[in-house]
Amino acid sequence: MSVSLIMTNFSAGELSPRLGGRVDLAKYSNGLNLLENMQTHPHGGASRRSGLRFILEALGRNLIPSGALDSLSGWTAGSGWSIASAKAVCDGSQVSETGLVRDLDMEDGVSYEVCFEINEYSGGSVCVSCGGARSESATAEGTFKVALASGGVSFSIIADADFCGSISALELRRINPETRLIPFEFSTEQAYVLEFTDHNIRIYKNGGIVLGDDGRPVEIASPYRAGDLEKLRFTQSADVMYFVHPEVQPYKLSRSSHADWTMEIVSFSSPPSDWNSEQGYPSCITFFEERLCFAASPKRPQTIWMSRSGSYEDFGVSADVVDDDACTYTLSADQVNAIRWMVSSKKLILGTSGGEWWLSGGSGSDVVTPNSVMVRRETTHGSAAVPPVVVGSIIVFLQRERKTVRELSYSFEADGYIAPDLTILAEHLTRVNTIQEWTYQQSPDSIIWMVRDDGVLLGMTYQREHEVVGFHHHRTDGRFGSVCVIPGSGQEELWTTVTRTIGGIERCYIERMEDQFNGPDSTGAFFVDSGLSYDHTEPAEVFYGLEHLEGRKVSILADGAVRPDCTVKDGRITLDSPARIVHAGLPYVSDLKTLRIEGGSPAGTAQGRLKRISHVTVRLFESLGLQVGYDEKNLERAPFRTSADRLGGAPVLYSGDYDVKFNRGYDRDGQIFIRQDQPLPLTVLALIPEVSVYK
């Protein structure tokens, strides 16, 4: 006898294989064996994640010094070369190959991008060289961009015996630099993403890079090297962001206008004597009770320094100590408890290497003063040196080994703070990997996004008030890097760096996850990675601007319908027929696989018994184009196009129950596999299998 079962929701997310026998667990019926490139919603369904929209390539600072093309100073010039007025001129008087050479701060074996313009050209050819590696020769006027792997520190512009022309707008930048994204949020309308690379900052807003009055990207000199970025910590007050690093004195970044930014050393009044180049500088920072708080220098890892109340850069103390004076406090413990992070709440919450603490005024409800401080340790799990995320009144932090996610919240039953493990049901996602960076996206679905050390992006849908904790993981054709979230027009925006291999060279791209899909048809569906969108007034066949995917095969959705994949050549793709609204980018596959089915046996459990799924009813919402089967090798594509659909046009989005027959006999697992490999939306609300269990 067959029985209809129903999987009503997937809010428990992807569960560990070690829970394969825990059919008694309440979350088993809401969990999945696999949830890749799909995410759970707090209300139960699972949807394909949105695609990643390409913004810009992350490049290092320009290694050509400002004014380098104003004089020959620093250059070694061969015959025919001269420099003046921001350009290098080769007058054609050379009788053989000649070069303009300069030693620069290049790294051996690292790829660099060289950009330059040729003007006043009258003949011959010119190329550039990084430590001996030469580019192809240019033989015309125009703007040129080449990628070269450095073989040393010597940079050259090399002209043949016939070249006559000028070189200007010269730039030399590292490809695939170490990059960190930091949100700068003044308001929901004035939110920026800061791109930190080696000694350089660039700024993004409204889905693009911020340009100066000269039409070039705004760049700010930074004191931080590439190796400093991981330990960089920050806090913000209005248009000023403060930065700390244990080896660099504190700096602040100030925004005066959209394109006017300043990075400068913080000029403290009466700074603590412990802060210097020998003893180091604080490594943690936050605001608390109108004070700017610093903590944990290399020599004093358990010490907290608080500024004067209302005067963030003043650490002075009066002759007769008053309540608003600066104050210093050192944790007392039976072991070294180096402070890893601080979070401002009703109390100052501290994460240390040995446990989690809080600091407040003397009575627990009073404000902190130099003569009134109370400190208590609440838990002893120990924290990683990764700033936590705050979700409502709950602090979510990483345990010190960077594998376990815990939530720190107040418990009335325990009359104190507790920190239960959130990863215990999905420990397989971090069993052999660690979490390097994370961020919190409040809307639309309350997800904590985490980047693993292998470049996989983890998501945890989290709503404690509804007891929703569901993990999912995401892959792309490359490796995820830094992540951050800023407010957007429709929802909060997730920005990320992705390292992709293009033409044999690893490049770092800044990409933004598209807003969650909300119909009403598939025309606006964006389910490609590193993709671009086109909206032409008239249909076209050729679409430009895809140089960042040169040589790669891309998926295409044109006017809501899937088109054959195209290979990018010379930065463009050519469709088989004209279209007006086109989305093109790298394909990715979304998979959902259920756990072993439980139920349907009159003799008790169905576990270990032979069973057969005759068909499955998939309850869908605004979806198209899924495949269903019992594993990834045995899938059948569900047809959605009907005779009522216009030939070559997009089918109508499907919402409702879709019945799929299973062409398989009996097995002991009884699992359902769903895949979406086309650039189309997919939301699964429930699964209703028809199951027969062999007695």
Side-chain angles (χ1 to χ4, degrees):
M1 182 181 71
S2 63
V3 177
S4 285
L5 305 178
I6 183 168
M7 303 173 190
T8 61
N9 71 84
F10 314 104
S11 59
E14 187 174 323
L15 300 184
S16 169
R18 294 183 177 182
L19 294 171
R22 291 297 308 275
V23 294
D24 62 317
L25 198 67
K27 288 186 177 293
Y28 187 92
S29 60
N30 307 132
L32 294 165
N33 175 272
L34 176 68
L35 195 61
E36 181 173 308
N37 287 328
M38 296 189 71
Q39 63 191 58
T40 61
H41 300 288
H43 35 276
S47 290
R48 188 178 203 202
R49 73 156 169 89
S50 298
L52 299 171
R53 187 175 294 278
F54 175 77
I55 304 298
L56 199 67
E57 182 177 1
L59 295 171
R61 61 189 170 94
N62 185 11
L63 298 182
I64 305 294
S66 177
L69 293 184
D70 289 334
S71 72
L72 276 171
S73 176
W75 295 93
T76 300
S79 61
W81 284 105
S82 63
I83 294 181
S85 303
K87 64 181 180 180
V89 178
C90 187
D91 60 15
S93 62
Q94 69 275 16
V95 295
S96 61
E97 185 177 88
T98 181
L100 190 62
V101 185
R102 188 183 188 112
D103 286 344
L104 297 173
D105 185 22
M106 293 188 294
E107 299 178 48
D108 192 14
V110 172
S111 294
Y112 291 87
E113 181 179 272
V114 186
C115 297
F116 58 95
E117 292 182 7
I118 299 178
N119 294 294
E120 304 166 320
Y121 174 80
S122 62
S125 65
V126 65
C127 66
V128 292
S129 169
C130 292
R134 288 196 181 197
S135 69
E136 293 184 2
S137 296
T139 58
E141 286 195 359
T143 300
F144 296 87
K145 182 185 296 184
V146 296
L148 292 171
S150 172
V153 299
S154 178
F155 172 76
S156 306
I157 306 173
I158 304 170
D160 70 3
D162 301 319
F163 178 72
C164 183
S166 66
I167 305 293
S168 61
L170 181 62
E171 292 187 354
L172 174 69
R173 298 177 181 271
R174 178 172 176 172
I175 294 174
N176 192 28
E178 293 186 43
T179 307
R180 181 164 177 200
L181 302 182
I182 291 178
F184 187 100
E185 182 181 341
F186 178 72
S187 66
T188 55
E189 291 78 24
Q190 299 183 56
Y192 299 82
V193 173
L194 307 178
E195 172 202 293
F196 277 71
T197 53
D198 183 66
H199 293 295
N200 199 56
I201 305 171
R202 299 197 300 180
I203 307 157
Y204 296 83
K205 187 178 186 295
N206 297 332
I209 197 164
V210 174
L211 304 178
D213 295 336
D214 59 357
R216 303 175 69 82
V218 172
E219 299 191 56
I220 309 162
S222 163
Y224 304 107
R225 301 166 300 175
D228 295 334
L229 299 181
E230 182 181 356
K231 294 182 179 179
L232 195 60
R233 301 291 179 264
F234 56 89
T235 192
Q236 186 176 352
S237 174
D239 267 337
V240 179
M241 180 174 279
Y242 292 90
F243 294 91
V244 293
H245 186 280
E247 299 172 6
V248 182
Q249 55 189 315
Y251 273 75
K252 65 179 179 181
L253 178 65
S254 305
R255 170 187 172 271
S256 301
S257 68
H258 180 65
D260 186 7
W261 301 69
T262 305
M263 175 73 89
E264 59 187 347
I265 296 174
V266 181
S267 299
F268 291 108
S269 176
S270 305
S273 58
D274 302 312
W275 300 357
N276 52 59
S277 57
E278 294 182 358
Q279 300 186 67
Y281 299 94
S283 59
C284 300
I285 186 171
T286 193
F287 287 100
F288 180 64
E289 293 184 350
E290 294 300 313
R291 298 176 185 268
L292 183 56
C293 305
F294 298 84
S297 67
K299 293 293 184 180
R300 304 198 55 184
Q302 299 182 188
T303 299
I304 304 167
W305 298 270
M306 298 184 179
S307 71
R308 282 181 179 269
S309 181
S311 184
Y312 303 144
E313 299 175 13
D314 188 352
F315 283 80
V317 178
S318 306
D320 296 321
V321 177
V322 295
D323 287 352
D324 66 348
D325 278 347
C327 52
T328 303
Y329 191 86
T330 300
L331 301 181
S332 298
D334 52 1
Q335 61 180 2
V336 174
N337 277 265
I339 298 172
R340 302 300 193 196
W341 49 260
M342 301 184 292
V343 171
S344 177
S345 184
K346 292 181 180 179
K347 301 173 182 179
L348 183 63
I349 310 299
L350 309 171
T352 76
S353 57
E356 290 66 52
W357 302 59
W358 58 257
L359 179 151
S360 69
S363 68
S365 60
D366 295 339
V367 297
V368 172
T369 71
N371 297 314
S372 179
V373 177
M374 179 183 293
V375 179
R376 293 285 187 274
R377 180 166 58 186
E378 291 286 346
T379 64
T380 57
H381 299 293
S383 296
V386 177
V389 296
V390 180
V391 183
S393 61
I394 296 175
I395 297 170
V396 182
F397 70 95
L398 272 178
Q399 197 168 303
R400 58 190 170 197
E401 82 286 356
R402 293 195 179 198
K403 294 176 179 289
T404 303
V405 178
R406 293 185 177 273
E407 59 176 7
L408 186 68
S409 60
Y410 186 81
S411 168
F412 289 99
E413 293 80 4
D415 191 23
Y417 286 85
I418 58 173
D421 182 359
L422 298 180
T423 47
I424 189 167
L425 299 184
E427 50 76 37
H428 66 297
L429 294 175
T430 55
R431 187 184 303 157
V432 296
N433 298 100
T434 58
I435 296 171
Q436 300 299 300
E437 189 174 332
W438 61 1
T439 189
Y440 173 57
Q441 184 184 31
Q442 179 173 270
S443 66
D445 279 333
S446 185
I447 298 177
I448 298 174
W449 297 99
M450 300 165 263
V451 179
R452 273 192 340 203
D453 56 359
D454 61 350
V456 172
L457 181 68
L458 306 182
M460 182 178 74
T461 303
Y462 178 83
Q463 278 201 2
R464 174 48 61 198
E465 62 269 30
H466 298 297
E467 298 185 355
V468 174
V469 179
F471 278 86
H472 31 96
H473 73 273
H474 306 266
R475 300 178 187 273
T476 186
D477 187 358
R479 302 189 308 276
F480 289 97
S482 184
V483 288
C484 78
V485 167
I486 61 170
S489 57
Q491 64 175 57
E492 291 190 329
E493 299 176 355
L494 175 68
W495 290 60
T496 180
T497 63
V498 186
T499 300
R500 304 189 185 278
T501 301
I502 307 296
I505 298 176
E506 286 196 339
R507 296 182 177 271
C508 179
Y509 291 161
I510 309 295
E511 301 184 11
R512 175 175 62 83
M513 187 173 286
E514 185 72 356
D515 287 355
Q516 200 171 97
F517 177 72
N518 286 306
D521 55 48
S522 59
T523 304
F526 189 91
F527 292 95
V528 292
D529 283 349
S530 200
L532 293 178
S533 295
Y534 305 86
D535 189 350
H536 290 180
T537 55
E538 296 293 333
E541 292 184 349
V542 181
F543 295 84
Y544 298 85
L546 289 163
E547 289 83 1
H548 67 288
L549 296 178
E550 184 67 30
R552 300 300 302 273
K553 184 173 289 188
V554 296
S555 287
I556 299 166
L557 189 72
D559 293 333
V562 178
R563 297 288 186 89
D565 292 350
C566 289
T567 299
V568 179
K569 184 177 181 181
D570 298 327
R572 66 179 184 266
I573 55 174
T574 303
L575 306 188
D576 54 356
S577 61
R580 192 173 66 83
I581 299 176
V582 172
H583 311 289
L586 298 174
Y588 63 95
V589 177
S590 299
D591 289 335
L592 180 154
K593 186 179 183 181
T594 66
L595 296 168
R596 295 181 179 91
I597 286 180
E598 169 59 10
S601 173
T605 181
Q607 301 301 301
R609 294 178 178 271
L610 289 172
K611 59 185 71 70
R612 177 177 180 269
I613 300 175
S614 57
H615 66 273
V616 177
T617 300
V618 185
R619 185 159 293 171
L620 300 171
F621 177 74
E622 295 186 346
S623 302
L624 282 175
L626 78 156
Q627 299 179 72
V628 184
Y630 50 87
D631 61 28
E632 62 272 21
K633 296 180 180 179
N634 297 276
L635 297 170
E636 291 188 13
R637 190 174 300 277
F640 286 89
R641 186 176 293 279
T642 68
S643 58
D645 295 318
R646 181 174 58 86
L647 185 64
V652 177
L653 293 174
Y654 186 87
S655 294
D657 290 350
Y658 201 98
D659 196 53
V660 181
K661 291 186 177 181
F662 259 49
N663 296 318
R664 192 184 192 189
Y666 284 87
D667 74 328
R668 296 187 184 274
D669 293 332
Q671 293 174 287
I672 303 167
F673 195 103
I674 294 177
R675 168 168 288 179
Q676 174 63 289
D677 59 358
Q678 295 179 313
L680 292 168
L682 172 64
T683 297
V684 181
L685 300 180
L687 293 173
I688 310 168
E690 189 80 15
V691 184
S692 301
V693 179
Y694 185 76
K695 295 181 181 180

